[in-house]
């Protein structure tokens, strides 16, 4: 606009615009990495082009349990409605074939010669079907001994009704008591950390249970999933590798009465052995954590899962303590469940740390020196603040001193008084 009005030369404006465009960094949007296991524990996997759909019908009960609630409720309702309608048609056909409907239309006293009393239309046959299958028995409609076919239909409907009740109620019970419902109260820390523990680099995360009812025989498994290429050139998109968990208990079970920090020592058997702090950001890996155990109240085996990608692993951090003893009772502060603090940790890989143990000593010495320097600065700041505070107090006290006042008497004597 200014260049058009000849206030600023056009060449200067173009050069300035070009310089500003060069200064602005060009940031490309990084595509989010596809996770194999979501943070909630759900498997991020889509099944496509399944041709043999009939295999799901062979295991119909599991298929019904795996359906969503809205689909399950629709099937639950339609199964009863269809069975009632089917047997209503059968009861109407029995009454029609026996001539009960015409007898009621003629309004003659035929109560003792009909198959089912008071079945005059399809609506009354439908109501009688509901009464038989649900065993309501209002008393207005009942069977007689005139029709053996009606007795057969009655037995068949009772058997079919019991089967439908067993399948549908069992499906509803299994959906409400599924194992992953209990896993909702098993929590994991948002981030994992890598720090030094007992002289070794360790991969650590925290797990806890929000309920008072315990998980019996709880065990933790850790797997690393990454894309690898074999020496033959075969690309394995999801290569799973088990990594051991540092557990002093021989049974490899944990007593999950309070939040625990699960530790994996990064040694020669670990897939993280050659990864340093700088290499971690560029690694295309995912650490999957699986917690399994038996629910104490129901006896059902449950499983809770989560995963950590490279961006969610904090190098040189440690979890803060959240368990304290208050008045003879251990207290857990879940507000600090995922909080971490920075600690001294070498930035090299575990392999380099094993080859050069002096790196750890130098790192600890540097951290100790920095800690002492910070303490000295803190103490000096406290001294300066205390000196400033004392000086301000002295100044305030000096301003409060009452000056001396001299009075002259008529005789010429001077009296000095303080007021």
């Amino acid at each position: 606009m200014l260049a058009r009005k000849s206030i600023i030369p056009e060449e200067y404006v173009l050069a300035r615009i070009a310089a500003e465009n060069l200064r602005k960094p060009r940031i490309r949007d990084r595509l989010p990495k596809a996770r194999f296991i979501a943070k909630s524990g759900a498997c991020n996997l889509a099944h496509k082009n399944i041709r043999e759909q009939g295999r799901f019908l062979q295991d119909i009960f599991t298929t019904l349990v795996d359906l969503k609630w809205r689909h399950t409720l629709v099937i639950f309702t339609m199964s009863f409605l269809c069975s009632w309608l089917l047997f209503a048609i059968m009861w109407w056909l029995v009454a029609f074939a026996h001539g009960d409907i015409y007898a009621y239309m003629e309004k003659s006293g035929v109560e003792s010669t009909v198959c089912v009393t008071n079945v005059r239309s399809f609506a009354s046959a439908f109501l009688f079907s509901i009464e038989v299958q649900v065993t309501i028995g209002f008393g207005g409609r009942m069977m007689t001994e005139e029709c053996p076919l009606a007795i057969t239909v009655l037995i068949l409907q009772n058997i079919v009704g019991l089967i439908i009740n067993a399948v549908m109620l069992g499906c509803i019970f299994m959906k409400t008591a599924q194992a992953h419902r209990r896993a909702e109260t098993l929590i994991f820390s948002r981030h994992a950390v890598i720090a030094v523990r007992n002289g070794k680099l360790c991969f650590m995360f925290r797990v806890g249970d929000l309920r008072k009812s315990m998980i019996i025989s709880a065990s933790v498994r850790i797997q690393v999933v990454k894309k690898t290429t074999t020496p033959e050139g075969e690309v394995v998109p999801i290569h799973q590798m088990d990594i051991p968990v540092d557990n002093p208990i021989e049974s490899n079970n944990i007593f999950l009465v309070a939040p625990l920090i699960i530790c994996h020592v990064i040694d020669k058997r670990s897939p993280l052995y050659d990864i340093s702090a700088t290499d971690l950001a560029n690694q295309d890996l995912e650490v999957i954590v699986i917690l399994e155990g038996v629910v104490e109240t129901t006896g059902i085996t449950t499983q809770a899962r989560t995963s950590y990608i490279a961006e969610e692993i904090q190098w040189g951090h440690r979890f803060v303590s959240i368990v304290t003893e208050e008045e003879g009772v251990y207290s857990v502060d879940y507000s600090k469940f995922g909080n971490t603090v920075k600690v001294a940790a070498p930035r090299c890989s575990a392999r380099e740390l094993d080859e050069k143990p002096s790196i750890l000593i130098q790192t600890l010495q540097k951290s100790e020196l920095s800690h002492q320097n910070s303490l000295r600065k803190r103490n000096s700041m406290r001294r300066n603040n205390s000196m400033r505070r004392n000086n301000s107090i002295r100044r305030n006290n000096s301003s409060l001193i009452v000056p001396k006042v001299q009075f002259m008497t008529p005789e010429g004597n001077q009296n000095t008084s303080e007021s």
Side-chain angles (χ1 to χ4, degrees):
M1 191 70 183
L2 296 177
R4 291 180 181 178
K5 294 182 179 180
S6 301
I7 298 176
I8 298 178
E10 186 175 359
E11 294 79 5
Y12 177 77
V13 174
L14 294 176
R16 185 174 181 180
I17 293 174
E20 289 179 354
N21 290 332
L22 290 175
R23 291 174 189 171
K24 293 180 180 180
R26 296 181 180 179
I27 301 174
R28 295 181 180 180
D29 295 335
R30 184 178 179 182
L31 295 176
K33 179 184 177 297
R35 309 176 70 109
F36 187 59
I37 299 294
K39 296 298 289 184
S40 61
C43 297
N44 187 20
L45 188 66
H47 298 276
K48 297 181 179 180
N49 300 326
I50 300 177
R51 298 179 180 179
E52 299 180 359
Q53 298 287 344
R55 293 181 177 270
F56 294 98
L57 297 178
Q58 295 177 3
D59 188 11
I60 186 63
F61 186 77
T62 305
T63 303
L64 291 175
V65 174
D66 290 339
L67 290 176
K68 295 182 179 180
W69 268 108
R70 55 178 178 268
H71 299 153
T72 302
L73 293 177
V74 169
I75 294 174
F76 180 85
T77 305
M78 293 304 297
S79 61
F80 283 102
L81 286 177
C82 292
S83 64
W84 294 338
L85 287 172
L86 176 63
F87 283 99
I89 294 172
M90 296 177 67
W91 286 118
W92 185 84
L93 290 175
V94 169
F96 180 78
H98 194 260
D100 298 345
I101 296 176
Y102 294 105
Y104 280 110
M105 290 175 63
E106 295 175 358
K107 297 182 180 181
S108 59
V110 291
E111 293 293 335
S112 60
T113 59
V114 297
C115 294
V116 181
T117 59
N118 294 326
V119 176
R120 300 180 175 88
S121 61
F122 181 77
S124 58
F126 181 74
L127 292 176
F128 180 72
S129 175
I130 297 175
E131 293 176 12
V132 169
Q133 188 164 336
V134 189
T135 64
I136 296 176
F138 291 116
R141 302 172 184 87
M142 61 181 180
M143 290 283 300
T144 62
E145 301 174 357
E146 294 294 327
C147 301
L149 180 60
I151 298 174
T152 305
V153 174
L154 177 65
I155 295 172
L156 181 62
Q157 185 173 5
N158 286 329
I159 295 173
V160 172
L162 289 175
I163 293 173
I164 294 175
N165 288 335
V167 173
M168 290 292 104
L169 294 179
C171 178
I172 296 297
F173 173 77
M174 290 301 297
K175 285 187 70 66
T176 54
Q178 279 183 333
H180 65 84
R181 303 296 179 186
R182 179 61 177 88
E184 296 293 334
T185 52
L186 298 174
I187 57 176
F188 299 89
S189 58
R190 184 71 181 176
H191 296 85
V193 298
I194 293 179
V196 177
R197 174 181 280 191
N198 298 326
K200 297 286 185 179
L201 276 177
C202 297
F203 173 85
M204 294 173 286
F205 60 93
R206 178 173 278 166
V207 61
D209 188 5
L210 298 179
R211 290 188 181 272
K212 291 185 178 180
S213 59
M214 296 178 55
I215 299 294
I216 303 173
S217 301
S219 61
V220 177
R221 293 188 292 115
I222 306 177
Q223 291 184 346
V224 173
V225 176
K226 60 187 302 185
K227 183 179 180 180
T228 59
T229 304
T230 61
E232 295 78 15
E234 180 185 1
V235 178
V236 182
I238 303 176
H239 182 59
Q240 303 181 17
M241 295 171 286
D242 287 330
I243 58 178
V245 178
D246 185 20
N247 193 355
I249 304 175
E250 296 180 358
S251 61
N252 201 24
N253 292 334
I254 59 175
F255 187 52
L256 197 60
V257 67
L260 299 177
I261 298 176
I262 307 300
C263 176
H264 159 64
V265 179
I266 304 177
D267 52 10
K268 296 180 180 180
R269 301 174 297 170
S270 174
L272 309 176
Y273 189 61
D274 296 322
I275 298 176
S276 62
T278 55
D279 298 335
L280 182 62
N282 301 323
Q283 289 293 321
D284 187 13
L285 59 85
E286 181 178 357
V287 182
I288 299 175
V289 179
I290 303 172
L291 172 62
E292 293 180 336
V294 179
V295 182
E296 184 181 20
T297 54
T298 60
I300 301 175
T301 303
T302 185
Q303 185 183 91
R305 300 179 296 267
T306 191
S307 68
Y308 301 98
I309 58 177
E311 290 81 3
E312 297 171 348
I313 301 175
Q314 297 179 345
W315 194 290
H317 284 71
R318 182 182 299 164
F319 289 105
V320 299
S321 179
I322 60 175
V323 180
T324 57
E325 186 177 357
E326 299 177 357
E327 299 179 357
V329 178
Y330 287 99
S331 177
V332 180
D333 186 5
Y334 280 98
S335 63
K336 303 177 182 179
F337 183 80
N339 293 358
T340 60
V341 292
K342 287 187 177 182
V343 293
R347 309 289 293 179
C348 63
S349 63
R351 180 186 291 275
E352 296 177 1
L353 188 62
D354 291 342
E355 294 174 354
K356 299 178 181 179
S358 60
I359 298 177
L360 178 60
I361 299 174
Q362 294 175 1
T363 304
L364 296 177
Q365 289 177 353
K366 290 180 181 179
S367 65
E368 184 67 23
L369 291 174
S370 62
H371 181 65
Q372 291 178 359
N373 292 332
S374 63
L375 288 178
R376 291 173 183 173
K377 291 180 180 179
R378 195 177 301 172
N379 293 332
S380 62
M381 290 177 64
R382 289 178 180 175
R383 291 173 185 173
N384 294 334
N385 293 333
S386 62
M387 292 176 62
R388 292 174 183 174
R389 193 179 298 109
N390 293 333
N391 293 333
S392 62
I393 292 172
R394 290 175 182 174
R395 291 173 185 173
N396 294 333
N397 293 335
S398 61
S399 63
L400 294 176
I401 297 175
V402 180
K404 294 183 179 180
V405 181
Q406 294 181 353
F407 294 96
M408 297 296 294
T409 58
E411 290 80 4
N413 297 326
Q414 295 181 355
N415 295 329
T416 303
S417 63
E418 294 181 357
S419 57

